[in-house]
Amino acid sequence: MFPNSAIFIRDTTYVSVFPILDQRNRNIARIVTRSMTNKAQFPDEQGEDGSFERQEDAFDNWIENKPDAEFPAVSGRYHLYVSLACPWAHRTIIMRERQGLAPHIGMTIVDPIRDDKGWRFVDDVSRCEPDPVNGFRFLSEAYHATDPKYKGRVTVPVLWDKETKRIVSNNDDAIMRMFNRAFQHLTGERHDHCPPHLLPQIDRLNEVVYQTVNNGVYRAGFASSQEAYEAAVYPLFDTLDMLESRLSRGPYLFGEHLTETDWRLWVTLIRFDAVYHGHFKCNLRRLIEYPNLIAYTKRLFDIPGIAETVDLDHIKRHYYLTHDELNPSGILPAGPQSIWF
């Protein structure tokens, strides 16, 4: 369980965090003469109204720098399984890089193309390799080794304990916070992405960004009805408008403080024009039409070590070749061929 100082709530249902122009949605709904419901990409995570309802994370243990901790913060004990395509995994890759944890926590990248057997380990795709820890062929084996009765969708990231041979956590929020502080005695890294004096504000803005942006693009993309799509896409752009204004006041979301909220937002922004604008129909505007947001995206991209965490080929191939309900032709777009800025 999370220590009390690190509790945060991820509510997977949409909560109105500021006015969403409900009248605009009602007017558009009148224009739609027929409500069409399409086949869902993930049927077990689809509401009756066609909305995407993301499953809860299954494993939420906590690594602590305490001698009596069930999962102590020691070097070499843990391994991170990730996809370079996945924004949720990307957050943890960034925090591992930022906090100097590469010598202490190994990492293996899975094939970006997820088929009906799930995420797999391969040696014929750039930056991927066979599982060096357990010899797993599929990430699902880690889930079933931890819980033989597990029946949910297999997701990344996964933080694995090599000693007990089970998953510590598949919750990216928790992994980010563990990486932020738990291993400071090993790395000497003192940058705190969740400074205590900002933590209440960070948690509040995290929830807004999660609901309407991070998960908002998925709620728009995986919606199987017109109404569910509109309920996601307009709040998404309302939040982007708010963030554009907020970034006029400083380089980061909390002024001069670079926090976890910046990285949580950034992993969605870096994928926005390449994938979410077209593939997920988040096309009211492109990110490049937001001067402050695009400058902010580039500012974080230019931080040493961050560009290497971005792989546009993995990103495009995952979204366009995995989501067969959204792209049944399996055609991979020719562009963009590089980060657009």
Side-chain angles (χ1 to χ4, degrees):
M1 299 298 292
F2 300 125
N4 290 336
S5 62
I7 287 178
F8 43 82
I9 298 172
R10 171 175 287 185
D11 182 357
T12 55
T13 58
Y14 175 67
V15 177
S16 179
V17 292
F18 41 72
I20 302 300
L21 301 182
D22 290 331
Q23 185 60 48
R24 174 181 60 188
N25 289 346
R26 287 196 294 271
N27 290 340
I28 292 177
R30 294 191 189 101
I31 297 173
V32 178
T33 58
R34 184 164 60 98
S35 176
M36 298 180 64
T37 300
N38 302 309
K39 187 176 179 181
Q41 182 66 42
F42 300 114
D44 292 341
E45 298 173 60
Q46 212 75 15
E48 293 183 0
D49 63 350
S51 61
F52 174 59
E53 300 175 357
R54 184 176 298 276
Q55 70 177 21
E56 297 290 339
D57 296 317
F59 308 102
D60 61 354
N61 301 294
W62 197 268
I63 296 172
E64 298 178 277
N65 183 23
K66 296 180 179 179
D68 59 346
E70 181 181 6
F71 296 97
V74 297
S75 180
R77 176 166 171 167
Y78 305 102
H79 195 81
L80 186 65
Y81 293 121
V82 298
S83 166
L84 295 178
C86 172
W88 316 105
H90 196 174
R91 299 169 167 188
T92 66
I93 297 170
I94 289 171
M95 197 61 71
R96 175 179 176 267
E97 168 64 28
R98 289 278 299 161
Q99 300 303 83
L101 289 172
H104 305 286
I105 299 174
M107 186 176 77
T108 302
I109 299 164
V110 297
D111 187 346
I113 300 177
R114 186 188 63 226
D115 59 18
D116 57 352
K117 294 183 179 180
W119 299 105
R120 59 179 179 148
F121 299 95
V122 297
D123 59 5
D124 58 352
V125 175
S126 173
R127 304 182 72 175
C128 299
E129 63 177 340
D131 173 25
V133 176
N134 300 290
F136 292 148
R137 293 182 58 211
F138 296 93
L139 190 58
S140 59
E141 295 173 60
Y143 277 72
H144 295 141
T146 307
D147 179 3
K149 297 181 180 179
Y150 184 77
K151 296 186 182 301
R153 183 162 55 91
V154 173
T155 62
V156 286
V158 163
L159 185 59
W160 178 262
D161 179 15
K162 294 189 285 186
E163 184 169 308
T164 62
K165 298 187 183 303
R166 61 189 176 111
I167 295 172
V168 177
S169 179
N170 70 332
N171 182 319
D172 58 280
D173 299 323
I175 295 171
M176 285 187 76
R177 292 206 172 171
M178 287 185 271
F179 285 4
N180 179 52
R181 286 188 189 158
F183 297 88
Q184 286 181 336
H185 64 290
L186 297 176
T187 65
E189 175 58 57
R190 291 293 177 254
H191 182 84
D192 190 350
H193 293 81
C194 296
H197 71 286
L198 289 177
L199 190 56
Q201 299 174 62
I202 286 172
D203 284 342
R204 285 195 295 272
L205 188 55
N206 281 352
E207 186 64 11
V208 174
V209 170
Y210 170 75
Q211 292 279 5
T212 58
V213 181
N214 300 142
N215 200 43
V217 294
Y218 283 89
R219 292 178 66 248
F222 290 157
S224 58
S225 71
Q226 185 70 35
E227 291 82 358
Y229 164 72
E230 290 175 3
V233 76
Y234 289 116
L236 163 63
F237 283 92
D238 287 339
T239 301
L240 291 179
D241 291 345
M242 179 271 288
L243 295 170
E244 172 73 6
S245 176
R246 186 182 183 112
L247 286 167
S248 68
R249 302 192 293 271
Y252 306 119
L253 294 174
F254 290 95
E256 298 296 327
H257 297 279
L258 178 61
T259 69
E260 71 168 26
T261 311
D262 293 294
W263 296 118
R264 290 164 64 103
L265 171 63
W266 186 83
V267 296
T268 298
L269 299 183
I270 199 68
R271 290 161 171 77
F272 199 90
D273 284 6
V275 174
Y276 302 139
H277 180 270
H279 185 59
F280 278 177
K281 306 179 186 70
C282 299
N283 54 8
L284 289 178
R285 287 176 290 281
R286 295 177 301 159
L287 187 68
I288 203 168
E289 295 175 53
Y290 288 95
N292 293 331
L293 278 170
I294 198 67
Y296 166 81
T297 305
K298 185 178 187 303
R299 186 177 305 122
L300 270 64
F301 181 84
D302 288 339
I303 291 175
I306 298 304
E308 292 78 9
T309 71
V310 181
D311 194 305
L312 192 58
D313 177 63
H314 277 232
I315 291 169
K316 287 170 54 181
R317 286 198 292 132
H318 168 69
Y319 283 96
Y320 286 102
L321 302 183
T322 293
H323 300 151
D324 50 359
E325 293 299 332
L326 303 184
N327 186 32
S329 68
I331 294 174
L332 185 66
Q337 296 181 346
S338 61
I339 298 299
W340 60 96
F341 48 72

